[in-house]
Amino acid sequence: MAIAVSHATPAASVQCTRVEWIIVVLCRLRARGVASPLMASIRLTALSKSYRAGSLAVDGASLAIADAEFVVLVGPSGCGKSTLLRMIAGLEECTKGTIEIDGRVVNDVAPRDRDIAMVFQNYALDPHLSVRGNMRFGLDRRRSYPSAWRALVSGEYRRRRRDESQQIEERVRSAARTLGIEPLLHRAPRELSGGQRQRVALGRALVRNPSVFLFDEPLSNLDALLRSEMRTELRILHRSLKATMVYVTHDQEEAMSLADRIVVLRDGVVQQVGAPTELYERPTNRFVAGFIGTPTMNMLEGTFDRVDGADAVVSWHGSSIRLPASRWGALGARLAQGCRVVVGIRPDRLAPCHPETPGSVPGRLVALERYGAQCDLVADVGPVRVTARCGAERVGSLREGDPISMAIDGNSAHLFDEHGQALATSR
Protein backbone atom coordinates (compact mmCIF):
# COMPACT_ATOMS: atom_id res chain seq x y z
CA MET A 1 0.00 0.00 0.00
CA ALA A 2 1.52 3.31 -1.03
CA ILE A 3 1.47 6.20 1.39
CA ALA A 4 1.85 9.74 0.12
CA VAL A 5 4.00 11.89 2.38
CA SER A 6 3.88 15.66 2.19
CA HIS A 7 7.19 17.51 1.99
CA ALA A 8 5.95 20.33 4.22
CA THR A 9 7.96 21.12 7.32
CA PRO A 10 6.69 19.92 10.73
CA ALA A 11 5.77 23.49 11.70
CA ALA A 12 3.57 23.84 8.60
CA SER A 13 1.90 20.45 8.84
CA VAL A 14 -1.72 20.43 10.00
CA GLN A 15 -2.34 16.78 9.15
CA CYS A 16 -0.22 15.16 11.81
CA THR A 17 1.23 15.82 15.22
CA ARG A 18 4.93 16.36 15.85
CA VAL A 19 5.39 12.76 17.01
CA GLU A 20 3.60 11.37 13.92
CA TRP A 21 5.76 13.57 11.70
CA ILE A 22 8.97 12.24 13.22
CA ILE A 23 7.84 8.64 12.66
CA VAL A 24 6.81 9.31 9.03
CA VAL A 25 10.08 11.04 8.19
CA LEU A 26 12.13 8.31 9.86
CA CYS A 27 10.35 5.72 7.72
CA ARG A 28 11.20 7.78 4.64
CA LEU A 29 14.83 8.12 5.76
CA ARG A 30 15.12 4.41 6.34
CA ALA A 31 13.73 3.71 2.87
CA ARG A 32 16.50 5.92 1.45
CA GLY A 33 19.15 4.18 3.51
CA VAL A 34 19.84 7.34 5.52
CA ALA A 35 18.33 6.36 8.87
CA SER A 36 19.08 2.67 9.10
CA PRO A 37 22.30 2.30 11.08
CA LEU A 38 24.09 -1.01 11.17
CA MET A 39 23.23 -2.91 14.31
CA ALA A 40 26.06 -3.89 16.60
CA SER A 41 26.41 -5.67 19.91
CA ILE A 42 28.85 -4.52 22.60
CA ARG A 43 30.66 -6.75 25.07
CA LEU A 44 32.77 -5.48 27.97
CA THR A 45 34.87 -8.06 29.79
CA ALA A 46 36.49 -7.31 33.18
CA LEU A 47 37.00 -3.69 32.14
CA SER A 48 39.00 -1.50 34.54
CA LYS A 49 40.37 2.04 34.49
CA SER A 50 42.86 3.41 37.01
CA TYR A 51 44.77 6.67 37.08
CA ARG A 52 48.34 7.49 38.11
CA ALA A 53 47.26 8.64 41.54
CA GLY A 54 46.01 5.12 42.16
CA SER A 55 42.31 5.94 42.04
CA LEU A 56 40.15 3.28 40.40
CA ALA A 57 37.44 4.84 38.22
CA VAL A 58 36.04 1.55 36.88
CA ASP A 59 36.64 -1.80 38.55
CA GLY A 60 36.11 -5.03 36.60
CA ALA A 61 32.96 -4.06 34.71
CA SER A 62 31.51 -6.84 32.54
CA LEU A 63 28.46 -6.20 30.39
CA ALA A 64 26.83 -7.57 27.24
CA ILE A 65 24.67 -5.19 25.18
CA ALA A 66 22.56 -6.75 22.44
CA ASP A 67 21.88 -5.37 18.95
CA ALA A 68 19.34 -2.52 18.97
CA GLU A 69 19.24 -2.40 22.78
CA PHE A 70 18.89 0.85 24.74
CA VAL A 71 21.10 0.52 27.84
CA VAL A 72 21.39 3.29 30.45
CA LEU A 73 24.36 3.61 32.81
CA VAL A 74 23.21 5.30 36.00
CA GLY A 75 24.72 6.16 39.35
CA PRO A 76 25.79 9.08 41.55
CA SER A 77 28.50 11.55 40.53
CA GLY A 78 31.93 9.92 40.44
CA CYS A 79 30.65 6.35 40.07
CA GLY A 80 32.53 5.80 36.77
CA LYS A 81 29.63 5.82 34.33
CA SER A 82 31.04 8.54 32.02
CA THR A 83 34.50 6.95 32.17
CA LEU A 84 32.97 3.64 31.08
CA LEU A 85 31.20 5.36 28.17
CA ARG A 86 34.38 7.15 27.11
CA MET A 87 36.27 3.85 27.10
CA ILE A 88 33.66 2.39 24.74
CA ALA A 89 34.11 5.46 22.53
CA GLY A 90 37.89 5.17 22.62
CA LEU A 91 38.38 8.55 24.31
CA GLU A 92 39.86 6.84 27.39
CA GLU A 93 42.27 3.91 27.37
CA CYS A 94 41.26 0.96 29.50
CA THR A 95 43.80 -0.30 32.03
CA LYS A 96 42.54 -3.90 31.96
CA GLY A 97 39.90 -5.90 30.12
CA THR A 98 38.54 -5.92 26.59
CA ILE A 99 35.93 -4.01 24.58
CA GLU A 100 34.24 -5.76 21.68
CA ILE A 101 31.93 -4.05 19.17
CA ASP A 102 30.09 -6.46 16.90
CA GLY A 103 32.52 -9.25 17.81
CA ARG A 104 35.67 -7.23 17.09
CA VAL A 105 38.07 -6.26 19.90
CA VAL A 106 38.54 -2.50 19.60
CA ASN A 107 40.92 -1.73 22.49
CA ASP A 108 43.58 -0.50 20.06
CA VAL A 109 41.19 0.89 17.44
CA ALA A 110 41.04 4.69 17.04
CA PRO A 111 37.72 6.35 17.98
CA ARG A 112 37.01 7.39 14.38
CA ASP A 113 37.29 3.76 13.24
CA ARG A 114 34.91 2.27 15.83
CA ASP A 115 31.78 3.27 13.88
CA ILE A 116 30.26 5.08 16.84
CA ALA A 117 28.69 8.52 17.28
CA MET A 118 28.70 10.39 20.59
CA VAL A 119 26.43 13.13 21.90
CA PHE A 120 28.06 15.14 24.68
CA GLN A 121 26.62 16.87 27.72
CA ASN A 122 27.85 20.31 26.61
CA TYR A 123 26.72 19.77 22.97
CA ALA A 124 30.34 20.41 21.68
CA LEU A 125 29.12 22.58 18.81
CA ASP A 126 31.67 24.66 16.89
CA PRO A 127 30.64 28.31 17.43
CA HIS A 128 32.23 29.37 14.14
CA LEU A 129 30.10 26.99 12.06
CA SER A 130 26.41 27.16 11.24
CA VAL A 131 23.99 24.41 12.20
CA ARG A 132 24.52 22.92 8.75
CA GLY A 133 28.31 23.12 9.14
CA ASN A 134 28.20 21.43 12.54
CA MET A 135 25.97 18.62 11.31
CA ARG A 136 28.05 17.84 8.24
CA PHE A 137 31.46 18.42 9.82
CA GLY A 138 32.16 14.74 10.52
CA LEU A 139 31.03 13.67 7.05
CA ASP A 140 33.17 16.35 5.39
CA ARG A 141 36.23 15.12 7.28
CA ARG A 142 35.65 11.58 5.96
CA ARG A 143 35.02 12.51 2.32
CA SER A 144 36.44 10.35 -0.45
CA TYR A 145 37.01 13.45 -2.63
CA PRO A 146 38.16 16.17 -0.22
CA SER A 147 40.50 18.30 -2.36
CA ALA A 148 39.02 21.49 -3.79
CA TRP A 149 42.33 22.20 -5.57
CA ARG A 150 42.29 18.89 -7.43
CA ALA A 151 38.71 19.60 -8.51
CA LEU A 152 39.99 22.66 -10.39
CA VAL A 153 42.14 20.56 -12.74
CA SER A 154 40.13 17.33 -13.03
CA GLY A 155 36.60 17.36 -14.40
CA GLU A 156 35.89 13.77 -13.29
CA TYR A 157 37.15 14.48 -9.79
CA ARG A 158 35.07 17.67 -9.68
CA ARG A 159 31.91 15.79 -10.71
CA ARG A 160 32.38 13.07 -8.09
CA ARG A 161 33.17 15.64 -5.42
CA ARG A 162 29.98 17.54 -6.30
CA ASP A 163 27.88 14.35 -6.17
CA GLU A 164 29.39 13.43 -2.81
CA SER A 165 28.64 16.91 -1.44
CA GLN A 166 25.03 16.63 -2.60
CA GLN A 167 24.67 13.27 -0.83
CA ILE A 168 26.03 14.77 2.38
CA GLU A 169 23.65 17.72 2.09
CA GLU A 170 20.69 15.38 1.59
CA ARG A 171 21.62 13.40 4.70
CA VAL A 172 21.94 16.62 6.70
CA ARG A 173 18.56 17.92 5.50
CA SER A 174 16.87 14.58 6.12
CA ALA A 175 18.19 14.44 9.69
CA ALA A 176 17.24 18.09 10.23
CA ARG A 177 13.68 17.41 9.04
CA THR A 178 13.50 14.43 11.38
CA LEU A 179 14.44 16.59 14.36
CA GLY A 180 12.41 19.64 13.30
CA ILE A 181 15.43 21.94 12.87
CA GLU A 182 15.55 22.32 9.06
CA PRO A 183 14.59 26.04 9.26
CA LEU A 184 17.60 26.56 11.58
CA LEU A 185 20.32 25.19 9.27
CA HIS A 186 21.67 28.66 8.46
CA ARG A 187 21.87 29.83 12.09
CA ALA A 188 24.90 29.95 14.39
CA PRO A 189 24.82 27.93 17.66
CA ARG A 190 24.65 31.15 19.74
CA GLU A 191 21.30 31.93 18.10
CA LEU A 192 19.72 28.68 19.32
CA SER A 193 17.95 27.70 22.51
CA GLY A 194 19.24 24.85 24.68
CA GLY A 195 16.75 22.39 23.23
CA GLN A 196 17.63 23.39 19.66
CA ARG A 197 21.35 22.99 20.36
CA GLN A 198 20.69 19.53 21.75
CA ARG A 199 18.81 18.59 18.58
CA VAL A 200 21.74 19.80 16.48
CA ALA A 201 24.12 17.62 18.51
CA LEU A 202 21.75 14.67 18.05
CA GLY A 203 21.46 15.41 14.32
CA ARG A 204 25.25 15.47 13.97
CA ALA A 205 25.31 11.93 15.35
CA LEU A 206 22.31 10.83 13.28
CA VAL A 207 23.83 11.81 9.89
CA ARG A 208 26.84 9.61 10.62
CA ASN A 209 24.56 6.54 10.43
CA PRO A 210 26.74 4.74 13.02
CA SER A 211 26.29 1.25 14.40
CA VAL A 212 26.36 2.54 18.02
CA PHE A 213 25.10 5.78 19.56
CA LEU A 214 26.67 6.98 22.82
CA PHE A 215 25.02 9.68 24.96
CA ASP A 216 26.83 11.38 27.86
CA GLU A 217 24.13 13.09 29.97
CA PRO A 218 22.76 14.94 26.92
CA LEU A 219 19.66 16.34 28.64
CA SER A 220 21.15 17.56 31.92
CA ASN A 221 21.36 21.19 30.76
CA LEU A 222 17.70 21.40 29.73
CA ASP A 223 14.76 22.53 31.84
CA ALA A 224 12.35 19.92 33.23
CA LEU A 225 9.64 20.34 30.56
CA LEU A 226 12.05 20.20 27.64
CA ARG A 227 13.90 17.27 29.21
CA SER A 228 10.65 15.31 29.35
CA GLU A 229 9.89 16.13 25.72
CA MET A 230 13.36 15.10 24.56
CA ARG A 231 13.11 11.80 26.47
CA THR A 232 9.99 10.98 24.48
CA GLU A 233 11.69 11.88 21.20
CA LEU A 234 14.71 9.72 22.05
CA ARG A 235 12.47 6.71 22.69
CA ILE A 236 10.71 7.28 19.37
CA LEU A 237 14.06 7.59 17.58
CA HIS A 238 15.34 4.40 19.16
CA ARG A 239 12.29 2.37 18.20
CA SER A 240 12.38 3.73 14.65
CA LEU A 241 16.12 3.46 14.05
CA LYS A 242 16.53 0.13 15.87
CA ALA A 243 20.04 1.24 16.78
CA THR A 244 22.25 0.20 19.67
CA MET A 245 22.31 3.05 22.20
CA VAL A 246 24.28 3.49 25.43
CA TYR A 247 23.16 6.41 27.56
CA VAL A 248 24.70 7.91 30.72
CA THR A 249 22.70 9.83 33.31
CA HIS A 250 22.64 10.49 37.05
CA ASP A 251 18.84 10.89 36.94
CA GLN A 252 17.18 7.57 37.81
CA GLU A 253 13.79 8.79 36.53
CA GLU A 254 15.41 9.41 33.14
CA ALA A 255 16.95 5.95 33.26
CA MET A 256 13.65 4.27 34.16
CA SER A 257 11.75 6.01 31.35
CA LEU A 258 14.32 5.40 28.58
CA ALA A 259 16.05 2.09 29.17
CA ASP A 260 15.48 -1.44 27.98
CA ARG A 261 18.02 -2.32 30.68
CA ILE A 262 19.69 -0.27 33.39
CA VAL A 263 23.24 -0.67 34.72
CA VAL A 264 23.64 0.74 38.24
CA LEU A 265 27.20 1.68 39.22
CA ARG A 266 28.76 2.71 42.53
CA ASP A 267 32.43 3.56 43.06
CA GLY A 268 33.30 2.03 39.69
CA VAL A 269 31.62 -1.31 40.43
CA VAL A 270 28.52 -2.61 38.65
CA GLN A 271 25.88 -3.18 41.34
CA GLN A 272 23.03 -4.61 39.26
CA VAL A 273 21.95 -4.97 35.63
CA GLY A 274 18.33 -5.49 34.68
CA ALA A 275 15.09 -4.11 33.28
CA PRO A 276 13.65 -1.04 35.05
CA THR A 277 10.86 -3.09 36.63
CA GLU A 278 13.32 -5.70 37.90
CA LEU A 279 15.51 -3.10 39.59
CA TYR A 280 12.50 -1.43 41.18
CA GLU A 281 10.84 -4.60 42.44
CA ARG A 282 13.88 -6.82 43.12
CA PRO A 283 16.93 -4.67 43.99
CA THR A 284 19.99 -6.76 44.75
CA ASN A 285 21.23 -4.57 47.60
CA ARG A 286 20.40 -1.59 49.76
CA PHE A 287 22.21 0.88 47.50
CA VAL A 288 20.20 -0.05 44.40
CA ALA A 289 16.97 -0.05 46.42
CA GLY A 290 17.67 3.46 47.68
CA PHE A 291 18.87 4.83 44.35
CA ILE A 292 16.04 3.56 42.15
CA GLY A 293 12.61 5.04 42.83
CA THR A 294 11.22 8.48 43.66
CA PRO A 295 10.82 9.37 46.49
CA THR A 296 13.64 7.19 47.77
CA MET A 297 12.87 3.98 49.66
CA ASN A 298 12.40 4.29 53.43
CA MET A 299 15.07 2.30 55.32
CA LEU A 300 14.12 1.10 58.81
CA GLU A 301 17.04 -0.41 60.72
CA GLY A 302 15.93 -2.97 63.30
CA THR A 303 16.68 -6.42 64.69
CA PHE A 304 15.31 -9.83 63.81
CA ASP A 305 13.30 -10.59 66.95
CA ARG A 306 11.50 -13.88 66.65
CA VAL A 307 9.24 -16.13 64.62
CA ASP A 308 5.59 -15.74 65.61
CA GLY A 309 3.76 -18.74 64.22
CA ALA A 310 4.97 -18.89 60.63
CA ASP A 311 5.62 -15.14 60.34
CA ALA A 312 8.87 -13.35 61.21
CA VAL A 313 8.90 -10.27 63.44
CA VAL A 314 11.41 -7.42 63.24
CA SER A 315 11.70 -5.06 66.22
CA TRP A 316 12.14 -1.43 65.28
CA HIS A 317 12.28 1.30 67.96
CA GLY A 318 9.59 -0.17 70.15
CA SER A 319 7.38 -1.26 67.23
CA SER A 320 7.06 -4.65 65.57
CA ILE A 321 7.07 -5.19 61.81
CA ARG A 322 5.51 -8.49 60.80
CA LEU A 323 6.95 -10.21 57.70
CA PRO A 324 4.48 -12.87 56.50
CA ALA A 325 5.78 -16.34 55.68
CA SER A 326 3.75 -16.32 52.45
CA ARG A 327 6.31 -13.85 51.07
CA TRP A 328 9.44 -14.46 53.11
CA GLY A 329 9.29 -18.17 53.87
CA ALA A 330 11.17 -19.51 56.89
CA LEU A 331 13.28 -16.48 57.82
CA GLY A 332 14.10 -18.10 61.16
CA ALA A 333 16.22 -20.67 59.33
CA ARG A 334 18.22 -17.94 57.58
CA LEU A 335 18.65 -15.33 60.29
CA ALA A 336 19.94 -15.58 63.84
CA GLN A 337 17.77 -14.08 66.52
CA GLY A 338 18.94 -10.58 67.43
CA CYS A 339 20.84 -9.98 64.18
CA ARG A 340 20.57 -6.54 62.58
CA VAL A 341 18.42 -6.17 59.47
CA VAL A 342 17.02 -3.31 57.40
CA VAL A 343 13.39 -3.24 56.30
CA GLY A 344 12.86 -1.21 53.11
CA ILE A 345 9.44 0.28 52.36
CA ARG A 346 8.57 2.13 49.16
CA PRO A 347 6.77 5.44 49.88
CA ASP A 348 3.69 4.30 47.95
CA ARG A 349 3.48 1.26 50.29
CA LEU A 350 3.47 3.42 53.42
CA ALA A 351 0.17 5.13 54.19
CA PRO A 352 -1.48 7.17 56.95
CA CYS A 353 -3.88 5.10 59.05
CA HIS A 354 -5.92 5.02 62.26
CA PRO A 355 -3.69 4.89 65.37
CA GLU A 356 -5.20 1.55 66.41
CA THR A 357 -4.44 -0.19 63.12
CA PRO A 358 -2.37 -3.37 63.77
CA GLY A 359 1.24 -2.91 62.74
CA SER A 360 1.02 0.89 62.58
CA VAL A 361 3.76 3.15 63.97
CA PRO A 362 3.18 6.60 65.49
CA GLY A 363 4.94 9.75 64.38
CA ARG A 364 4.55 13.45 63.65
CA LEU A 365 3.93 15.05 60.26
CA VAL A 366 6.74 17.53 59.47
CA ALA A 367 5.99 18.31 55.81
CA LEU A 368 3.05 17.92 53.45
CA GLU A 369 3.96 18.18 49.77
CA ARG A 370 1.03 18.38 47.36
CA TYR A 371 1.31 17.36 43.70
CA GLY A 372 -2.27 17.65 42.54
CA ALA A 373 -3.81 14.18 42.73
CA GLN A 374 -0.92 12.91 44.89
CA CYS A 375 0.68 14.01 48.15
CA ASP A 376 3.94 13.19 49.88
CA LEU A 377 3.75 13.00 53.66
CA VAL A 378 7.09 13.44 55.43
CA ALA A 379 6.95 12.33 59.05
CA ASP A 380 9.36 11.79 61.93
CA VAL A 381 8.76 8.27 63.23
CA GLY A 382 11.05 7.65 66.18
CA PRO A 383 14.55 8.76 65.14
CA VAL A 384 13.84 8.17 61.44
CA ARG A 385 12.29 10.50 58.87
CA VAL A 386 10.07 8.61 56.45
CA THR A 387 8.09 9.58 53.36
CA ALA A 388 4.69 8.22 52.36
CA ARG A 389 3.04 8.85 48.99
CA CYS A 390 -0.73 8.62 48.75
CA GLY A 391 -3.75 10.07 46.99
CA ALA A 392 -4.75 13.61 47.95
CA GLU A 393 -8.13 12.34 49.15
CA ARG A 394 -6.43 10.35 51.96
CA VAL A 395 -4.82 13.42 53.50
CA GLY A 396 -8.08 14.83 54.76
CA SER A 397 -7.57 17.57 57.36
CA LEU A 398 -3.98 16.64 58.22
CA ARG A 399 -1.71 19.60 58.82
CA GLU A 400 2.03 19.90 59.34
CA GLY A 401 2.81 19.28 63.00
CA ASP A 402 -0.12 16.91 63.55
CA PRO A 403 0.43 13.44 65.05
CA ILE A 404 0.16 10.71 62.45
CA SER A 405 0.23 6.91 62.30
CA MET A 406 1.75 4.97 59.41
CA ALA A 407 0.75 1.47 58.33
CA ILE A 408 3.66 -0.76 57.25
CA ASP A 409 2.75 -3.52 54.83
CA GLY A 410 5.13 -6.46 55.37
CA ASN A 411 3.89 -8.09 52.15
CA SER A 412 5.50 -5.34 50.08
CA ALA A 413 8.60 -4.79 52.22
CA HIS A 414 12.20 -5.40 51.17
CA LEU A 415 14.65 -6.95 53.61
CA PHE A 416 18.42 -6.46 53.72
CA ASP A 417 21.02 -8.06 55.96
CA GLU A 418 23.58 -6.15 58.01
CA HIS A 419 25.90 -6.01 54.98
CA GLY A 420 23.23 -4.41 52.80
CA GLN A 421 22.54 -7.46 50.63
CA ALA A 422 18.92 -8.22 49.77
CA LEU A 423 17.33 -11.34 51.26
CA ALA A 424 15.42 -13.33 48.68
CA THR A 425 11.67 -13.76 49.00
CA SER A 426 9.92 -17.08 48.60
CA ARG A 427 7.94 -15.77 45.65
Side-chain angles (χ1 to χ4, degrees), residues 121-418:
Q121 178 180 357
N122 61 356
Y123 316 135
L125 300 180
D126 190 324
H128 305 293
L129 297 177
S130 65
V131 169
R132 174 183 281 105
N134 272 282
M135 290 181 65
R136 63 178 291 159
F137 181 79
L139 297 179
D140 283 335
R141 293 295 298 265
R142 301 170 72 92
R143 291 179 64 157
S144 301
Y145 304 95
S147 175
W149 293 104
R150 187 175 174 184
L152 294 175
V153 297
S154 171
E156 177 65 15
Y157 188 93
R158 181 166 60 250
R159 182 184 65 79
R160 293 186 178 184
R161 188 173 189 275
R162 183 178 63 249
D163 291 345
E164 184 179 49
S165 181
Q166 290 174 349
Q167 292 172 7
I168 292 174
E169 179 65 17
E170 175 58 25
R171 290 172 70 172
V172 168
R173 286 190 170 276
S174 296
R177 282 195 295 270
T178 301
L179 298 168
I181 57 174
E182 190 175 17
L184 309 178
L185 286 174
H186 65 284
R187 292 192 186 181
R190 65 178 179 275
E191 300 173 313
L192 306 179
S193 68
Q196 290 168 338
R197 292 180 189 181
Q198 190 58 72
R199 287 185 175 89
V200 175
L202 185 58
R204 182 179 53 193
L206 188 61
V207 297
R208 285 277 319 282
N209 198 24
S211 57
V212 177
F213 287 88
L214 305 178
F215 299 89
D216 189 7
E217 302 196 48
L219 309 184
S220 60
N221 293 333
L222 305 181
D223 61 62
L225 183 62
L226 190 54
R227 195 158 56 239
S228 176
E229 179 184 336
M230 288 298 296
R231 282 203 302 261
T232 302
E233 292 189 11
L234 280 172
R235 284 299 297 172
I236 293 170
L237 281 171
H238 176 251
R239 288 199 304 269
S240 302
L241 295 174
K242 295 181 172 59
T244 304
M245 294 185 176
V246 185
Y247 187 103
V248 162
T249 181
H250 63 273
D251 185 344
Q252 57 88 22
E253 284 190 3
E254 200 169 282
M256 296 282 283
S257 64
L258 285 172
D260 295 327
R261 283 193 304 153
I262 297 174
V263 181
V264 182
L265 292 105
R266 181 189 188 189
D267 297 333
V269 178
V270 175
Q271 301 292 307
Q272 187 173 359
V273 181
T277 302
E278 179 185 349
L279 267 63
Y280 185 83
E281 296 180 351
R282 296 182 297 279
T284 191
N285 58 40
R286 182 175 175 176
F287 174 79
V288 175
F291 193 84
I292 299 295
T294 302
T296 187
M297 181 184 287
N298 300 296
M299 299 294 181
L300 312 179
E301 298 183 2
T303 57
F304 179 65
D305 188 16
R306 65 188 187 280
V307 175
D308 185 3
D311 298 343
V313 177
V314 173
S315 294
W316 176 71
H317 296 292
S319 300
S320 296
I321 302 173
R322 183 174 291 271
L323 303 176
S326 58
R327 173 175 170 82
W328 293 101
L331 274 176
R334 292 188 281 167
L335 297 174
Q337 187 173 1
C339 70
R340 300 191 63 79
V341 294
V342 177
V343 178
I345 303 289
R346 294 284 182 196
D348 56 357
R349 298 295 183 178
L350 193 64
C353 65
H354 191 276
E356 297 181 3
T357 302
S360 65
V361 292
R364 185 165 298 277
L365 185 64
V366 296
L368 175 57
E369 302 171 0
R370 299 181 183 273
Y371 302 102
Q374 286 187 323
C375 289
D376 285 354
L377 306 174
V378 183
D380 284 340
V381 179
V384 179
R385 181 160 291 178
V386 300
T387 301
R389 173 164 286 183
C390 62
E393 70 281 354
R394 299 194 63 178
V395 174
S397 59
L398 276 173
R399 296 290 183 269
E400 293 174 351
D402 288 352
I404 188 173
S405 292
M406 296 286 191
I408 298 177
D409 180 9
N411 273 307
S412 58
H414 299 260
L415 193 62
F416 307 94
D417 64 22
E418 57 185 340

Side-chain angles (χ1 to χ4, degrees), residues 16-90:
C16 58
T17 66
R18 177 179 179 79
V19 169
E20 291 169 338
W21 176 265
I22 290 175
I23 294 174
V24 168
V25 174
L26 280 169
C27 292
R28 186 200 313 160
L29 294 179
R30 189 160 60 243
R32 294 177 182 174
V34 175
S36 53
L38 300 172
M39 292 192 295
S41 60
I42 301 173
R43 180 175 294 276
L44 312 179
T45 305
L47 202 62
S48 296
K49 173 66 178 180
S50 58
Y51 294 100
R52 290 182 179 178
S55 60
L56 200 58
V58 178
D59 186 8
S62 294
L63 178 66
I65 301 173
D67 290 343
E69 191 174 21
F70 199 133
V71 170
V72 176
L73 310 179
V74 68
S77 297
C79 70
K81 53 188 183 296
S82 290
T83 302
L84 189 59
L85 190 78
R86 290 172 65 84
M87 285 195 287
I88 296 173

